[in-house]
Amino acid sequence: MSEIINGVEGSFIKQNALGLGRVLKKRENTMFFVLIGMFIVSGIISPTFRSIENIFNIFNHNAVYGTIALGMSFVLITGAIDLSVSSTAALTAIVSTHLFREFGFVIGVAGGLSVGCIMGLVNGLLITKAKINYFVTTLGTMTIGRGIIYIVTNGFPVMGVPRAYGVIGLGKIGPFPISASIWIVLAVVLFFVLRYTTFGQYLYAIGGNENASWLSGVKTQKLRILAFMYCGMLASLGGVLLNLRVLMATADACQGYELTAIAGCIVGGISLEGGRGNILGSVIGTIILGLILNLIQLLGVNPFWQSAITGMIILGAVGIDSLSNTKRD
């Protein structure tokens, strides 16, 4: 009888261990547990960190990064990178400021988002039709976009966003910031788009093996262009959110945001090789980065360390991703 009981217990433990192993095999799940652990440790280290106001501040501060990372996820899943998102967001803020001032809120948002769609379309066409490498293409459009910004503004801030519009960037729904709410709701919607629609499954297929997808009848060029357009549009939305937070646009806005967006995605489990990860992973990765930087500020660490630490996180995440791909092969 005892042998039977021991056998049942052993089988139960083995099944649970296998179940836990399957959960942890997905890096976004592992990083979720890491995030929970980091929240607990940070709360112990810094009493200030534990305040509800500070927790919501982390979400609010990282809403712009997170929104841009959502768009970056589409491109990364196809096995590419978009370096132009920072310039796209900054150029959007310039355009939106003028439109907010002259034509109102709806036209300002619509005009701003169109900037990202156009930038994404240009990137997609150059990559798929002109056959220019995605790194070179987006590096070029990033530089051109930033150049246009300085030409238009002469390096001076562009003012005039109506103060009432600031409720989107600084307001709250109950205790939760509106801009962070937009980010999280979008993440949930886009998660279902990528996971449960044909469009999303085709993007994963392209990232897994583009030639095989093309031979299977998937319109790979069209879908890659759409992925870059989604990326550009969400970069523009990030620019609009930033614009509505500071109520102006500056020529140097969003510099380096592309690295933070890429880092957030990779930390959250989206592979640089394409075909793996999901949109919620970018949210987890962005919050992890934001949590680390928030703790650095609360502990009074020299702010110049922030860039160095972000760089180390990027290297670590890429290293883990490379090892994961090697083991899979």
Side-chain angles (χ1 to χ4, degrees):
M1 186 67 179
S2 60
E3 292 179 357
I4 296 174
I5 293 173
N6 289 333
V8 171
E9 288 179 347
S11 177
F12 178 77
I13 293 171
K14 185 178 180 179
Q15 288 177 359
N16 279 286
L18 289 173
L20 181 59
R22 283 193 294 269
V23 169
L24 294 178
K25 192 173 181 180
K26 292 186 176 181
R27 201 162 91 235
E28 60 268 21
N29 295 337
T30 303
M31 296 312 296
F32 174 75
F33 290 113
V34 169
L35 177 61
I36 298 300
M38 289 176 65
F39 266 105
I40 294 171
V41 172
S42 299
I44 295 172
I45 294 174
S46 173
T48 307
F49 180 89
R50 296 195 296 265
S51 68
I52 296 298
E53 182 179 354
N54 182 64
I55 300 298
F56 286 149
N57 181 58
I58 293 174
F59 280 89
N60 190 42
H61 179 73
N62 289 280
V64 174
Y65 295 121
T67 302
I68 295 174
L70 293 180
M72 187 68 72
S73 300
F74 279 85
V75 174
L76 285 172
I77 285 171
T78 67
I81 289 178
D82 187 350
L83 298 175
S84 68
V85 290
S86 56
S87 294
T88 299
L91 183 59
T92 296
I94 301 293
V95 172
S96 292
T97 298
H98 286 289
L99 294 177
F100 284 143
R101 191 171 55 202
E102 301 296 331
F103 302 104
F105 183 79
V106 175
I107 299 299
V109 172
L113 296 182
S114 68
V115 171
C117 290
I118 293 170
M119 187 73 86
L121 178 61
V122 170
N123 284 332
L125 289 174
L126 288 174
I127 292 166
T128 58
K129 303 300 183 183
K131 304 299 181 183
I132 303 175
N133 176 271
Y134 62 81
F135 185 90
V136 176
T137 296
T138 59
L139 181 62
T141 53
M142 176 185 75
T143 307
I144 292 170
R146 188 66 63 175
I148 292 173
I149 291 169
Y150 277 100
I151 291 170
V152 171
T153 65
N154 287 318
F156 293 103
V158 179
M159 317 290 287
V161 179
R163 189 170 296 275
Y165 297 169
V167 68
I168 303 296
L170 297 171
K172 296 181 179 181
I173 300 175
F176 204 75
I178 292 175
S179 58
S181 300
I182 294 172
W183 168 34
I184 299 301
V185 169
L186 265 176
V188 173
V189 172
L190 295 176
F191 169 80
F192 283 98
V193 168
L194 282 176
R195 182 155 186 165
Y196 296 109
T197 67
T198 303
F199 168 70
Q201 294 306 304
Y202 281 167
L203 291 185
Y204 280 105
I206 292 171
N209 191 320
E210 184 170 2
N211 287 332
S213 300
W214 179 76
L215 290 172
S216 299
V218 177
K219 297 179 179 179
T220 55
Q221 290 190 352
K222 178 181 178 181
L223 289 169
R224 194 175 284 280
I225 291 171
L226 285 174
F228 274 96
M229 290 181 69
Y230 270 104
C231 184
M233 184 176 66
L234 287 163
S236 285
L237 180 58
V240 170
L241 291 176
L242 180 63
N243 192 214
L244 294 174
R245 181 181 299 171
V246 299
L247 300 180
M248 64 177 183
T250 59
D252 61 348
C254 302
Q255 287 187 337
Y257 279 33
E258 71 282 352
L259 296 180
T260 304
I262 294 169
C265 291
I266 298 171
V267 169
I270 297 176
S271 175
L272 277 174
E273 299 294 325
R276 287 194 299 138
N278 66 55
I279 208 88
L280 296 184
S282 75
V283 176
I284 295 170
T286 302
I287 295 173
I288 286 176
L289 291 176
L291 186 152
I292 292 171
L293 297 182
N294 178 261
L295 187 61
I296 288 172
Q297 293 169 353
L298 292 177
L299 295 177
V301 178
N302 190 321
F304 293 117
W305 275 97
Q306 295 184 17
S307 296
I309 290 172
T310 300
M312 287 187 284
I313 293 171
I314 293 173
L315 288 175
V318 172
I320 293 171
D321 182 61
S322 297
L323 288 173
S324 176
N325 288 329
T326 300
K327 289 179 179 179
R328 185 177 61 170
D329 295 338

